[in-house]
Amino acid sequence: MSALKVYLAGPEVFLPDPVASTRKKELCQKYGFEGLFPFDNTIALDGLQKRNQGNEISQANETLIRKSDCVIANMTPFRGPSMDVGTAFELGFARGLGKPVFGYTNDHRRFKERVVAAYGPTRQIHDGRLEDCCGMAIEDFDLADNLMIDGAIYSATGNNVVVPHKSRSEYYSDLEGFEACLMLARRYFGVA
Amino acid sequence: MSALKVYLAGPEVFLPDPVASTRKKELCQKYGFEGLFPFDNTIALDGLQKRNQGNEISQANETLIRKSDCVIANMTPFRGPSMDVGTAFELGFARGLGKPVFGYTNDHRRFKERVVAAYGPTRQIHDGRLEDCCGMAIEDFDLADNLMIDGAIYSATGNNVVVPHKSRSEYYSDLEGFEACLMLARRYFGVA
């Protein structure tokens, strides 16, 4: 039987150094999986308009997720208090396809803490909810990110997002949380 | 026949005033649709721990999307240069379920412009890509947000994200783009 396939979602695609993705694939192998990284798509983009290039990459990534048995997402905050939106889309896509999704973050703070730090000062409003500096409500559910993300992971697999006790200094490329997700995936698929 | 159902995804759930969602439902009706807003979920949360409350809401919203015939997402940037990650997840979820997805933004700028404005100074790197202040690559595909989002909308319906010529002053609640999406949805379903 060929190895179960894991789609490696996360902001690694934006890192200058592709080493993190190489290490992720090696770890997948160590745990008996095959890692599929968006860059695996070798598609012809020459001569296409920018917009069409974007659409081709999107299609190729969707195809890769359809081929995968699960998704492990790096949810480390990206350009704001929340995770990368492309990664959030991919988690949702996999969940819609009925595939199990796992997630980790290298930031130890709860979502609420990060929003307060970045978008304070806050204000308590009439119904007890907390508002940020722009008058937008702050979610406070003791979760790692927006409730749709944590909720999907929990509903799909019974797991919470993997969060470190202390934020990792290799903010995007530390792989301890990723390795923990591989172990959860092994248990999920009954290969532990 | 009962009206086709539109799931109303967007950061409106964080606005202090629910009037934008009421107006969205009225517009849906005007165009022959039924609008389903996350707040429509009346679920018992009393006595639950915060974390479980979050999971219950997530489940209820997923159920609402499963019941819907399509999703129209408000992609106006939220706490950073990209859209709300909960909304991105919901778009992906609907796309995974094979449902058509539509999107609009009330910010006229391209994704690249917004990242440069918020995360400059930028730097051109060896392969011609542009890096932000933190050394992360900036997507430059002439799209409204991350390519997975624009790409999903295009693949599902043949449409681009609806973008205004000039950013709207009612940044989150202006509904011109939403109305344009309703017209695209009518055409998609052949009820135009």
Side-chain angles (χ1 to χ4, degrees), chain B residues 12-13 24 30 85 87 99 141-142 144 147 155 177 187 192:
Chain B
E12 284 85 351
V13 289
K24 274 192 165 179
K30 178 178 158 191
V85 298
T87 306
K99 297 177 194 281
F141 294 105
D142 192 25
L147 63 85
S155 299
R187 198 178 308 154

Side-chain angles (χ1 to χ4, degrees), chain A residues 158-177:
Chain A
N159 297 305
N160 293 317
V161 176
V162 175
V163 180
H165 291 297
K166 201 171 149 243
S167 293
R168 318 302 296 185
S169 56
E170 289 191 7
Y171 197 58
Y172 289 111
S173 52
D174 188 288
L175 294 179
E176 200 176 297

Side-chain angles (χ1 to χ4, degrees), chain A residues 46-82:
Chain A
D46 289 352
L48 288 180
Q49 284 191 315
K50 279 186 186 180
R51 192 170 270 269
N52 296 335
Q53 288 180 10
N55 289 332
E56 288 292 321
I57 299 170
S58 144
Q59 271 298 283
N61 289 345
E62 285 191 358
T63 302
L64 219 48
I65 297 170
R66 286 183 200 277
K67 278 187 201 160
S68 301
D69 297 288
C70 69
V71 169
I72 297 181
N74 179 352
M75 292 170 52
T76 306
F78 184 69
R79 291 182 187 145
S82 275

Side-chain angles (χ1 to χ4, degrees), chain B residues 24-149:
Chain B
K24 274 192 165 179
K25 285 194 170 191
E26 287 164 3
L27 276 174
C28 283
Q29 212 172 359
K30 178 178 158 191
Y31 285 89
F33 292 106
E34 182 188 352
L36 300 180
F37 196 67
F39 278 173
D40 286 351
N41 292 313
T42 43
I43 43 176
L45 298 175
D46 289 351
L48 288 179
Q49 285 191 314
K50 278 185 187 180
R51 193 169 269 270
N52 297 335
Q53 288 181 11
N55 288 333
E56 288 292 322
I57 299 171
S58 145
Q59 272 297 283
N61 289 346
E62 285 192 358
T63 302
L64 219 49
I65 296 170
R66 286 183 200 277
K67 279 188 202 160
S68 300
D69 297 288
C70 69
V71 169
I72 298 181
N74 179 352
M75 292 170 51
T76 307
F78 184 68
R79 291 181 186 145
S82 275
M83 65 187 292
D84 165 49
V85 298
T87 306
F89 173 90
E90 291 173 341
L91 268 190
F93 185 66
R95 171 89 180 124
L97 292 169
K99 297 177 194 281
V101 290
F102 305 87
Y104 70 96
T105 168
N106 288 335
D107 194 310
H108 77 282
R109 295 169 297 168
R110 303 275 84 188
F111 182 45
K112 178 193 163 189
E113 265 183 87
R114 296 198 307 273
V115 177
V116 169
Y119 286 85
T122 61
R123 198 171 71 97
Q124 200 90 30
I125 50 176
H126 57 91
D127 60 357
R129 295 207 298 180
L130 203 61
E131 260 186 15
D132 70 10
C133 58
C134 311
M136 306 295 272
I138 298 177
E139 270 189 22
D140 178 18
F141 294 105
D142 192 25
L143 297 171
D145 209 318
N146 181 290
L147 63 85
M148 294 306 296
I149 311 289

Side-chain angles (χ1 to χ4, degrees), chain B residues 2-21:
Chain B
S2 66
L4 289 164
K5 293 179 178 60
V6 182
Y7 183 81
L8 308 170
E12 284 85 351
V13 289
F14 305 116
L15 287 174
D17 184 353
V19 71
S21 32

Side-chain angles (χ1 to χ4, degrees), chain A residues 2 6 15 33 45 76 81 90 110 123 130 176 189:
Chain A
S2 66
V6 181
L15 286 174
F33 293 107
L45 298 176
T76 306
E90 292 172 339
R110 303 276 84 189
R123 200 171 70 97
L130 203 62
E176 200 176 297
F189 288 112

